[in-house]
Each structure stands twice: as C-alpha cells, then as structure tokens.
C-alpha cells in the first residue's frame, strides 16, 4: 500500500545563508498544507495546487508575489500542473496580473482542450473564469526591484536571484526561487506542479521551462512525477524532467536519476538546477547540482523532512491541525 506523500521545493541556486531559515520555513509550511489537503481531500491536484499557492503568496519565492522582474520591470509568470492518471496538462506562460498562476493553470487543465495558454489570451481566460485581477505593481516586491537594478546596473547575465543582499557575487551565482510540488495518494495517483516568475531581467515575452511538459514539469502515474528548477534555457534544451523519467523507467534510483540528468545538462549546455520526484511506487527523492535547493516532504504518519544544502536533512513531525 502506498503512503500518501508530498515533496515540494522553492528553487535551486544560491542565496545567502541568512535566508536559509526563512526559505525553509515557507517550504515546510507549503509541504504541510499540501499534505493536510491530501489527507482531507484525497485529491493529488488539490494537494499540489495548495502547496504551490502557499509559496506563490510568500515573498521568499520567485512565483506569484515576489516574482523576479523582466528587463522592463514587469512580472510575467509561468506555471504548469499535470495529473499523472490521464496526463491531463494545464499551463500558463507570460501571465500578468494574477496572484496565483498555478490556479489558472489548473483551470486550463480542467476547462479547456489546450495544454497551455500564454500572455493576453491567458489573462482573458483567467478573467472569464472569475480570477481576481490585481495590478502588476502589487506583485512586485522591493527585493525583486533591487535585484533588477543590480542586474541592469552591472550589465551581467540575467539571473533569478531574489536575495536581499545583492552583491556582484550573489547576483552572479544566480539564485533561483521557482516553486514546485509533487504528491501521491494511496491509489498511486500522482500530480506535479511548478510555478515561477522566470529569470531576472529576462526579455519581455520570454517563457521558460516551467510550463513545458518534460522540461520543468512531468507526471505519469505509470512512472513518476517531477518538478524541476534551474536555468530554463538549459532545462528546455535537454528536456530535463523527461530525461530523469527515462532514467527511472530504466531502473535507476530516483536521486541518481536526477543528479545524472542534471550533471549531463551542465556538461552539455551549462546551467545548473535541481529536481524533486515521487515514483509510482511512492519513493520520494530530490537532488541538485546547484549550491542549494530548498525542499521539504511529508509522508508516513507525518514525518516532515527538509533541507537546503546537499546531504543536509532535518527531520521533525507534523502536528495535524483539526
Ligand atoms: N526554471 C525557471 C525559469 O528558467 C527558473 C527557476 O527554476 O528558478 O524560468
């Protein structure tokens, strides 16, 4: 019998150590909210959506409020959600003026015959579906503004750093804050979701790997669910999550599959990142070849595991709220 479980991440890359605690806090809360939703509603889509929304609402993450800015100073967000049972897929690209892009992505999955809507068409769909429209300025955090100024003034390569201590080296380290979640229930149904503001100082109109099935997000009950994070232009080129899934279906253990695919991406096209996985038999795994990736998982009777650096793992227990 498979144990209902969830694993989440809030981005791979580099951020200063003083942010570890706050990143861990939001990531753990997202895992707990997702797990409680899973137990209450026994619906894997509900679970990953709920977990991702917690992180979209938190300024520590590069998704929803707190998204990094494009070169024009605007927020443009990508998100994707996939149900592994029937491969139903919903995504949005370049979405503005919406607080929780993952919920619009889910509506694309449920209400349209398409897999992804982008830009103005995505926004008009969200309006028709009754999502609240907010001003784009209300999604802009002070940290995201400082980050953009730092990147533009130093005229360095676009990055997804959202850190408060903006130094040249921290910008160059390209900290990432994309968020994602994968959940499985006792019947082996899996869902995966990813949401992002993309990379800082990207060209307006740029869409990354997040809403590309097999790129930043993958889910198939016959194999596994995956959410990936890292430099989108690299992830897309190597179809990262699809590669990880292929390694797993060929019998590789899921952490090794993630690391092998990430390292071969870095070698072939540059960039780095991380991924979280749940296999069809309920094995949870995560790996990154970036300096850090904040992750958290809840499984079994409420065992909460989390970490930031490779090899680091904190274990506590969730007190289930009534
Ligand atoms: N993969 C995202 C993108 O390139 C960034 C991230 O993972 O932080 O849009």
């Amino acid at each position: 019998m498979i144990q209902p479980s969830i694993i989440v991440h809030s981005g791979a890359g580099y951020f200063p150590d003083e942010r570890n605690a706050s990143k861990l806090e939001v990531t753990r809360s997202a895992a707990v909210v997702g797990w409680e939703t899973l137990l209450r509603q026994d619906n894997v889509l509900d679970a990953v959506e709920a977990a991702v929304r917690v992180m979209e609402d938190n300024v520590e993450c590069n998704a929803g409020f707190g998204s990094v800015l494009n070169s024009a100073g605007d927020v443009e967000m990508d998100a994707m959600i996939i149900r592994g049972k029937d491969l139903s897929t919903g995504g949005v690209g370049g979405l503005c003026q919406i607080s929780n892009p993952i919920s619009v992505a889910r509506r694309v999955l449920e209400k349209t015959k398409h897999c992804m809507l982008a830009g103005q068409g995505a926004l008009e769909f969200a309006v028709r579906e009754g999502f609240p429209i907010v001003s784009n300025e209300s999604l802009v955090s002070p940290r995201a503004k400082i980050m953009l100024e730092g990147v533009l003034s130093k005229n360095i390569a676009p990055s997804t750093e959202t850190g408060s201590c903006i130094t040249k080296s921290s910008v160059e380290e390209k900290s990432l804050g994309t968020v994602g979640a994968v959940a499985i229930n006792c019947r082996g149904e899996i869902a995966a979701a990813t949401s992002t503001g993309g990379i800082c100082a990207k060209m307006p109109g740029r869409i990354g790997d997040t809403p590309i099935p097999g790129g930043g997000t993958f889910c198939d009950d016959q194999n596994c669910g995956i959410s990936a994070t890292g430099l989108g232009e690299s992830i897309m080129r190597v179809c990262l999550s699809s590669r990880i899934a292929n390694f797993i279906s060929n019998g590789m253990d899921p952490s090794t599959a993630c690391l092998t695919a990430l390292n071969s991406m870095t070698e072939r096209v540059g960039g780095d990142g991380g991924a979280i996985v749940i296999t069809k038999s309920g094995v949870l795994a995560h790996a990154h070849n970036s300096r850090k990736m904040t992750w958290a998982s809840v499984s079994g009777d409420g065992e909460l595991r989390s970490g930031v650096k490779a090899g680091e793992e904190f274990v506590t227990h969730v007190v289930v709220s009534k």
Side-chain angles (χ1 to χ4, degrees), residues 62 160 176-178 196 198-199 206 208-210 229-232 235:
N62 170 22
T160 55
L176 316 171
T178 290
T196 187
I199 58 172
R206 178 263 192 191
D209 59 299
T210 294
T229 168
L231 189 62
I235 292 174

Side-chain angles (χ1 to χ4, degrees), residues 71-226:
S71 58
D74 282 333
V75 167
E76 288 182 326
M77 300 164 289
D78 304 335
M80 170 146 282
I81 186 164
I82 307 178
R83 174 166 55 208
K85 189 176 179 178
D86 56 3
L87 309 186
S88 301
T89 299
V92 288
L95 184 64
C96 302
Q97 293 186 259
I98 293 286
S99 304
N100 295 108
I102 198 64
S103 297
V104 181
R106 179 160 180 192
R107 209 60 74 84
V108 172
L109 180 156
E110 287 171 339
K111 293 269 188 83
T112 79
K113 58 183 181 189
H114 303 303
C115 290
M116 199 211 306
L117 296 176
Q120 188 60 23
L123 181 60
E124 282 165 14
F125 170 72
V127 171
R128 284 199 302 280
E129 287 296 314
F131 284 93
I133 302 306
V134 299
S135 73
N136 236 20
E137 292 73 59
S138 68
L139 298 173
V140 176
S141 69
R143 178 183 285 153
K145 272 191 186 163
I146 295 169
M147 175 62 200
L148 180 65
E149 280 160 22
V151 170
L152 293 181
S153 70
K154 291 185 173 89
N155 195 24
I156 59 170
S159 148
T160 55
E161 161 70 59
T162 56
S164 50
C165 309
I166 306 296
T167 62
K168 187 164 191 297
S169 67
S170 70
V171 172
E172 282 170 346
E173 288 287 352
K174 298 187 174 75
S175 166
L176 316 171
T178 290
V179 306
V182 183
I184 191 166
N185 66 13
C186 59
R187 292 182 300 286
E189 293 168 349
I190 310 175
T194 315
S195 181
T196 187
I199 58 172
C200 182
K202 64 187 179 182
M203 286 173 68
R206 178 263 192 191
I207 293 176
D209 59 299
T210 294
I212 309 296
T217 316
F218 176 93
C219 194
D220 182 349
D221 284 6
Q222 294 178 10
N223 185 355
C224 62
I226 300 171

Side-chain angles (χ1 to χ4, degrees), residues 21-49:
S22 51
K23 293 276 289 181
L24 272 170
E25 193 185 329
V26 58
T27 312
R28 287 177 183 141
S29 329
V32 171
V33 167
W35 191 67
E36 288 178 345
T37 306
L38 186 59
L39 295 191
R40 202 170 48 241
Q41 283 152 231
D42 189 29
N43 180 321
V44 284
L45 282 178
D46 288 349
V48 292
E49 182 186 357

